[in-house]
Amino acid sequence: MRLGVARYHDIAEALRGAISRGFYERGSQLPSERELSEEFDVAPGTIRQALGELETEGVLASRRGSRRTVVGEPRVAATFEEFRSFAQWASSRGRVPAGHVISARWQDASPLDLEELRLPTAARVFCVVRVRLLDGSAIMVERTRYRDSVGAEVERIPSDCPSVTAWLAATANITFSRAEHQFSACPAGAEDARLLDVRRGSPLLMHKRVSFSRDGLPLEWSVDRYVAGTIRLVVDNSLNANALRWE
């Protein structure tokens, strides 16, 4: 039992792990409360609290007229790498990611660059515009601005590289350890409409991201715009879990 953690939380975690490992398959039934209380050597009320926690998360569903609980479909949150990296997310779902670089050039940092990347005045940033493809279809325009130390490495990356994140980690030992995300809706402008083959004014999902190094230094900031209906952001929210994932 973990210090300072209620026993039923530990039991819920143990059952959650058994479900995620496939010990209990979707649609199967858990043992009765009496059987579980004997297995974990606790009172039935503690088991009910643990099952209630899992039901709140959507992992379990009650069946009327039965003391057993039906196992629902576990919801798995994306890892940090999958959530931050389009290519790693797509690959983890068995999809085929790709990308085309539209432009890549150095620019003087704008006032917004200076703020987001905490740069000194007169700094430069490396600016890349990419179209991201999923299974051959263009679904997102990505506009990323890198601080100079990272931009110098990004400039060396082949234009058809599927994952900039993986390349930087493997070749330059540059690792993104934290990211801040903002989401909103926006209409497609003329350039986005052309690159994504949608009508001007079509709704897009806008994702602004600032990524940081292990020591808290901002390495890049990006604004990604997705074609509506091609990807979803899902939040599982409960008293004990708040998980985000792409679908």
Side-chain angles (χ1 to χ4, degrees):
M1 180 175 177
R2 295 170 293 172
L3 185 64
V5 178
R7 177 62 171 145
Y8 76 88
H9 286 313
D10 279 330
I11 295 171
E13 181 62 27
L15 293 172
R16 191 183 293 111
I19 293 167
S20 65
R21 292 190 300 271
F23 187 81
Y24 298 110
E25 296 181 354
R26 181 184 180 189
S28 66
Q29 292 183 327
L30 292 182
S32 67
E33 291 179 5
R34 180 183 60 78
E35 292 170 323
L36 289 172
S37 65
E38 292 176 356
E39 177 182 347
F40 289 99
D41 193 24
V42 295
T46 303
I47 295 297
R48 281 194 290 274
Q49 286 180 291
L51 297 181
E53 180 176 316
L54 297 179
E55 288 176 9
T56 299
E57 296 173 10
V59 175
L60 303 179
S62 296
R63 174 171 292 178
R64 182 174 298 178
S66 173
R67 293 183 300 167
R68 298 182 179 226
T69 304
V70 178
V71 179
E73 182 178 4
R75 297 185 181 273
V76 181
T79 65
F80 171 77
E81 291 80 7
E82 292 169 7
F83 192 75
R84 211 208 66 83
S85 168
F86 173 82
Q88 293 184 47
W89 164 80
S91 298
S92 72
R93 267 60 178 178
R95 312 292 292 274
V96 180
H100 297 316
V101 174
I102 305 302
S103 64
R105 61 182 181 271
W106 289 96
Q107 292 182 351
D108 292 335
S110 69
L112 192 54
D113 293 326
L114 299 178
E115 178 183 352
E116 297 290 358
L117 298 176
R118 303 177 197 164
L119 297 172
T121 56
R124 293 195 311 160
V125 292
F126 191 60
C127 308
V128 180
V129 178
R130 299 182 186 88
V131 173
R132 295 289 194 171
L133 289 79
L134 191 64
D135 299 332
S137 298
I139 71 163
M140 184 257 281
V141 176
E142 175 186 90
R143 294 177 174 86
T144 308
R145 304 171 77 86
Y146 302 91
R147 67 184 311 118
D148 55 359
S149 58
V150 182
E153 299 296 334
V154 174
E155 191 174 19
R156 300 171 49 239
I157 299 176
S159 61
D160 59 349
C161 176
S163 176
V164 172
T165 300
W167 177 283
L168 290 174
T171 65
N173 196 31
I174 295 176
T175 302
F176 302 101
S177 297
R178 184 175 71 84
E180 296 176 353
H181 305 270
Q182 296 180 22
F183 299 90
S184 59
C186 68
E191 184 178 28
D192 289 338
R194 177 177 59 82
L195 294 175
L196 295 172
D197 193 24
V198 297
R199 291 185 177 181
R200 186 172 181 176
S202 296
L204 303 176
L205 172 65
M206 185 167 69
H207 174 203
K208 177 189 173 186
R209 180 186 67 248
V210 183
S211 302
F212 300 84
S213 66
R214 289 189 179 93
D215 58 2
L217 183 69
L219 300 178
E220 62 158 25
W221 77 281
S222 176
V223 175
D224 306 337
R225 292 183 173 90
Y226 291 85
V227 175
T230 58
I231 199 168
R232 292 187 299 163
L233 176 68
V234 179
V235 181
D236 288 331
N237 179 255
S238 73
L239 289 174
N240 301 296
N242 293 281
L244 285 76
R245 68 187 190 279
W246 288 113
E247 285 191 347

Coordinates of all heavy atoms in Angstrom, one line a residue, residues 41-88:
D41 N -8.2 -8.8 0.7 CA -8.3 -8.8 2.1 C -8.7 -7.5 2.7 O -8.1 -6.9 3.5 CB -6.9 -9.2 2.7 CG -7.0 -9.5 4.2 OD1 -8.0 -9.9 4.7 OD2 -5.9 -9.4 4.9
V42 N -9.9 -7.0 2.1 CA -10.5 -5.8 2.6 C -12.0 -6.0 2.7 O -12.5 -7.0 2.2 CB -10.2 -4.6 1.6 CG1 -8.7 -4.3 1.6 CG2 -10.7 -4.9 0.2
A43 N -12.7 -5.0 3.3 CA -14.1 -5.1 3.4 C -14.8 -4.9 2.0 O -14.2 -4.2 1.2 CB -14.6 -4.1 4.4
P44 N -16.0 -5.4 1.8 CA -16.7 -5.2 0.5 C -16.9 -3.7 0.2 O -16.9 -3.4 -1.0 CB -18.0 -5.9 0.7 CG -17.7 -7.0 1.7 CD -16.7 -6.4 2.7
G45 N -17.1 -2.9 1.2 CA -17.2 -1.5 1.0 C -16.0 -0.9 0.3 O -16.2 0.1 -0.5
T46 N -14.8 -1.3 0.7 CA -13.6 -0.8 0.0 C -13.6 -1.2 -1.4 O -13.2 -0.4 -2.3 CB -12.4 -1.3 0.8 OG1 -12.4 -1.0 2.2 CG2 -11.1 -0.8 0.2
I47 N -14.0 -2.4 -1.7 CA -14.1 -2.9 -3.1 C -15.1 -2.0 -3.9 O -14.8 -1.6 -5.0 CB -14.5 -4.4 -3.2 CG1 -13.4 -5.2 -2.6 CG2 -14.7 -4.8 -4.6 CD1 -12.0 -5.1 -3.3
R48 N -16.2 -1.7 -3.3 CA -17.2 -0.9 -4.0 C -16.6 0.5 -4.3 O -16.9 1.0 -5.4 CB -18.5 -0.8 -3.1 CG -19.4 -2.0 -3.2 CD -20.8 -1.7 -2.6 NE -20.7 -1.5 -1.1 CZ -20.8 -2.5 -0.3 NH1 -20.9 -3.8 -0.7 NH2 -20.7 -2.3 1.0
Q49 N -15.9 1.1 -3.4 CA -15.2 2.3 -3.7 C -14.3 2.2 -4.9 O -14.2 3.1 -5.7 CB -14.5 2.8 -2.4 CG -15.4 3.4 -1.3 CD -14.5 3.8 -0.1 OE1 -13.9 3.0 0.6 NE2 -14.5 5.1 0.1
A50 N -13.5 1.2 -4.9 CA -12.5 1.0 -6.0 C -13.2 0.8 -7.3 O -12.9 1.4 -8.3 CB -11.6 -0.2 -5.7
L51 N -14.3 0.0 -7.3 CA -15.0 -0.2 -8.6 C -15.7 1.1 -9.0 O -15.9 1.4 -10.2 CB -16.1 -1.3 -8.4 CG -15.5 -2.7 -8.1 CD1 -16.6 -3.7 -7.9 CD2 -14.5 -3.1 -9.1
G52 N -16.2 1.9 -8.0 CA -16.9 3.1 -8.3 C -15.9 4.1 -9.0 O -16.3 4.8 -9.9
E53 N -14.6 4.1 -8.5 CA -13.6 4.9 -9.2 C -13.4 4.6 -10.6 O -13.3 5.4 -11.5 CB -12.3 4.8 -8.4 CG -11.2 5.6 -8.9 CD -9.9 5.6 -8.1 OE1 -10.0 5.6 -6.8 OE2 -8.8 5.4 -8.7
L54 N -13.4 3.3 -10.9 CA -13.2 2.8 -12.3 C -14.4 3.1 -13.1 O -14.3 3.3 -14.3 CB -12.8 1.3 -12.3 CG -11.5 1.0 -11.6 CD1 -11.2 -0.5 -11.6 CD2 -10.3 1.7 -12.2
E55 N -15.6 3.0 -12.5 CA -16.8 3.3 -13.3 C -16.8 4.8 -13.7 O -17.2 5.1 -14.8 CB -18.0 2.9 -12.5 CG -18.2 1.4 -12.4 CD -19.4 1.1 -11.5 OE1 -20.2 2.0 -11.1 OE2 -19.6 -0.1 -11.2
T56 N -16.4 5.6 -12.7 CA -16.3 7.1 -13.0 C -15.4 7.4 -14.2 O -15.7 8.3 -15.0 CB -15.8 7.8 -11.7 OG1 -16.8 7.6 -10.7 CG2 -15.8 9.3 -12.0
E57 N -14.3 6.6 -14.3 CA -13.4 6.8 -15.4 C -13.8 6.2 -16.7 O -13.2 6.5 -17.7 CB -12.0 6.2 -15.0 CG -11.3 6.9 -13.8 CD -10.1 6.1 -13.4 OE1 -9.6 5.2 -14.1 OE2 -9.6 6.5 -12.3
G58 N -14.9 5.4 -16.6 CA -15.4 4.7 -17.8 C -14.7 3.4 -18.1 O -14.9 2.8 -19.2
V59 N -13.8 3.0 -17.2 CA -13.1 1.7 -17.4 C -14.1 0.5 -17.2 O -14.0 -0.5 -17.9 CB -11.9 1.6 -16.5 CG1 -11.3 0.2 -16.6 CG2 -10.9 2.7 -16.8
L60 N -15.0 0.7 -16.3 CA -16.0 -0.3 -15.9 C -17.4 0.2 -16.1 O -17.6 1.4 -16.1 CB -15.8 -0.8 -14.5 CG -14.5 -1.4 -14.1 CD1 -14.5 -1.8 -12.6 CD2 -14.1 -2.5 -14.9
A61 N -18.3 -0.7 -16.3 CA -19.8 -0.4 -16.4 C -20.6 -1.4 -15.6 O -20.3 -2.6 -15.6 CB -20.2 -0.4 -17.9
S62 N -21.5 -0.9 -14.8 CA -22.3 -1.7 -14.0 C -23.4 -2.5 -14.8 O -23.9 -1.9 -15.8 CB -23.0 -0.9 -12.9 OG -22.1 -0.4 -12.0
R63 N -23.7 -3.7 -14.4 CA -24.7 -4.5 -15.1 C -25.8 -4.7 -14.1 O -25.6 -5.2 -13.0 CB -24.2 -5.8 -15.6 CG -25.3 -6.7 -16.1 CD -24.7 -7.9 -16.8 NE -24.1 -7.6 -18.0 CZ -23.4 -8.5 -18.8 NH1 -23.4 -9.7 -18.4 NH2 -22.9 -8.1 -19.9
R64 N -27.0 -4.2 -14.4 CA -28.1 -4.3 -13.5 C -28.5 -5.7 -13.2 O -28.5 -6.6 -14.1 CB -29.4 -3.6 -14.1 CG -30.6 -3.5 -13.2 CD -31.7 -2.7 -13.8 NE -31.3 -1.3 -13.9 CZ -32.1 -0.4 -14.5 NH1 -33.3 -0.7 -14.9 NH2 -31.7 0.8 -14.6
G65 N -28.7 -6.0 -11.9 CA -29.1 -7.3 -11.5 C -28.0 -8.3 -11.3 O -28.2 -9.5 -11.1
S66 N -26.8 -7.8 -11.3 CA -25.6 -8.6 -11.2 C -24.6 -7.9 -10.2 O -24.5 -6.7 -10.2 CB -24.9 -8.8 -12.5 OG -23.7 -9.5 -12.3
R67 N -24.0 -8.8 -9.4 CA -23.0 -8.2 -8.5 C -21.6 -8.0 -9.2 O -20.7 -7.4 -8.6 CB -22.7 -9.2 -7.3 CG -23.9 -9.4 -6.4 CD -23.6 -10.3 -5.2 NE -23.2 -11.6 -5.7 CZ -22.7 -12.5 -4.9 NH1 -22.4 -12.2 -3.7 NH2 -22.4 -13.7 -5.4
R68 N -21.5 -8.5 -10.4 CA -20.3 -8.3 -11.2 C -20.3 -7.0 -12.0 O -21.4 -6.5 -12.3 CB -20.1 -9.5 -12.1 CG -19.9 -10.8 -11.3 CD -19.6 -12.0 -12.1 NE -19.5 -13.2 -11.3 CZ -18.5 -14.1 -11.5 NH1 -17.6 -13.9 -12.5 NH2 -18.4 -15.1 -10.8
T69 N -19.2 -6.6 -12.5 CA -19.1 -5.4 -13.2 C -18.5 -5.7 -14.6 O -17.5 -6.4 -14.7 CB -18.2 -4.4 -12.5 OG1 -18.7 -4.1 -11.2 CG2 -18.1 -3.1 -13.3
V70 N -19.1 -5.2 -15.7 CA -18.7 -5.5 -17.0 C -17.5 -4.6 -17.3 O -17.5 -3.4 -17.1 CB -19.8 -5.3 -18.0 CG1 -19.3 -5.5 -19.5 CG2 -21.0 -6.2 -17.7
V71 N -16.4 -5.1 -17.9 CA -15.3 -4.4 -18.2 C -15.5 -3.6 -19.5 O -15.8 -4.2 -20.6 CB -14.0 -5.3 -18.4 CG1 -12.8 -4.5 -18.8 CG2 -13.8 -6.0 -17.2
G72 N -15.4 -2.3 -19.5 CA -15.6 -1.5 -20.7 C -14.3 -1.4 -21.4 O -13.3 -2.1 -21.1
E73 N -14.2 -0.5 -22.4 CA -13.0 -0.3 -23.2 C -12.1 0.7 -22.5 O -12.4 1.8 -22.3 CB -13.3 0.2 -24.6 CG -12.1 0.4 -25.4 CD -12.5 0.9 -26.8 OE1 -13.7 1.1 -27.1 OE2 -11.6 1.0 -27.7
P74 N -10.9 0.2 -22.0 CA -10.0 1.1 -21.3 C -9.6 2.3 -22.3 O -9.3 2.1 -23.4 CB -8.8 0.3 -21.0 CG -9.3 -1.1 -21.1 CD -10.4 -1.1 -22.1
R75 N -9.5 3.5 -21.7 CA -9.1 4.6 -22.5 C -7.6 4.9 -22.2 O -7.3 5.1 -21.0 CB -10.0 5.8 -22.2 CG -11.4 5.6 -22.6 CD -12.2 6.9 -22.3 NE -13.6 6.7 -22.7 CZ -14.1 6.9 -23.9 NH1 -13.3 7.2 -24.9 NH2 -15.4 6.7 -24.2
V76 N -6.8 4.9 -23.2 CA -5.4 5.0 -23.0 C -4.9 6.4 -23.4 O -5.2 6.8 -24.5 CB -4.6 4.0 -23.7 CG1 -3.1 4.1 -23.5 CG2 -5.0 2.6 -23.3
A77 N -4.3 7.2 -22.5 CA -3.8 8.5 -22.8 C -2.6 8.4 -23.7 O -1.8 7.5 -23.6 CB -3.5 9.3 -21.5
A78 N -2.4 9.3 -24.6 CA -1.2 9.4 -25.4 C 0.0 9.7 -24.5 O -0.1 10.4 -23.5 CB -1.3 10.4 -26.5
T79 N 1.1 9.1 -24.8 CA 2.4 9.5 -24.1 C 2.7 10.9 -24.5 O 2.2 11.5 -25.4 CB 3.5 8.6 -24.6 OG1 3.8 8.8 -26.0 CG2 3.2 7.1 -24.4
F80 N 3.6 11.5 -23.8 CA 4.1 12.9 -24.0 C 4.6 13.0 -25.5 O 4.3 13.9 -26.2 CB 5.1 13.3 -23.0 CG 5.8 14.6 -23.4 CD1 5.1 15.8 -23.2 CD2 7.0 14.7 -24.0 CE1 5.7 17.0 -23.5 CE2 7.6 15.9 -24.4 CZ 6.9 17.1 -24.1
E81 N 5.4 12.0 -25.9 CA 6.0 12.0 -27.2 C 4.9 12.0 -28.3 O 5.0 12.7 -29.3 CB 7.0 10.9 -27.4 CG 8.3 11.0 -26.5 CD 8.1 10.6 -25.1 OE1 7.0 10.0 -24.8 OE2 9.0 10.7 -24.3
E82 N 3.9 11.1 -28.1 CA 2.9 10.9 -29.1 C 2.0 12.2 -29.2 O 1.6 12.6 -30.2 CB 2.0 9.7 -28.8 CG 2.7 8.4 -28.9 CD 1.9 7.3 -28.3 OE1 0.7 7.5 -27.9 OE2 2.4 6.2 -28.3
F83 N 1.8 12.8 -28.0 CA 0.9 14.0 -28.0 C 1.7 15.2 -28.6 O 1.1 16.1 -29.2 CB 0.5 14.3 -26.5 CG -0.6 15.3 -26.5 CD1 -1.9 15.0 -26.8 CD2 -0.3 16.6 -26.1 CE1 -2.9 16.0 -26.7 CE2 -1.3 17.6 -26.0 CZ -2.6 17.2 -26.3
R84 N 3.0 15.3 -28.4 CA 3.7 16.4 -28.9 C 4.1 16.3 -30.3 O 4.3 17.2 -31.1 CB 5.0 16.7 -28.0 CG 5.4 18.1 -27.9 CD 6.9 18.2 -27.7 NE 7.7 17.7 -28.9 CZ 7.9 18.4 -29.9 NH1 7.5 19.7 -30.0 NH2 8.6 17.9 -31.0
S85 N 4.4 15.0 -30.8 CA 4.9 14.7 -32.1 C 3.8 14.1 -33.0 O 3.3 13.0 -32.7 CB 6.1 13.8 -32.0 OG 6.4 13.3 -33.3
F86 N 3.5 14.8 -34.1 CA 2.5 14.3 -35.0 C 2.9 12.9 -35.6 O 2.1 12.0 -35.6 CB 2.3 15.3 -36.2 CG 1.4 14.8 -37.3 CD1 0.0 14.9 -37.2 CD2 2.0 14.2 -38.4 CE1 -0.8 14.4 -38.2 CE2 1.2 13.8 -39.5 CZ -0.2 13.8 -39.3
A87 N 4.1 12.8 -36.0 CA 4.6 11.5 -36.6 C 4.6 10.4 -35.6 O 4.1 9.3 -35.9 CB 6.0 11.7 -37.1
Q88 N 5.0 10.6 -34.3 CA 5.0 9.5 -33.4 C 3.6 9.2 -33.0 O 3.3 8.0 -32.7 CB 5.8 9.9 -32.1 CG 7.3 10.1 -32.5 CD 8.1 10.4 -31.3 OE1 8.0 9.8 -30.2 NE2 9.0 11.4 -31.4

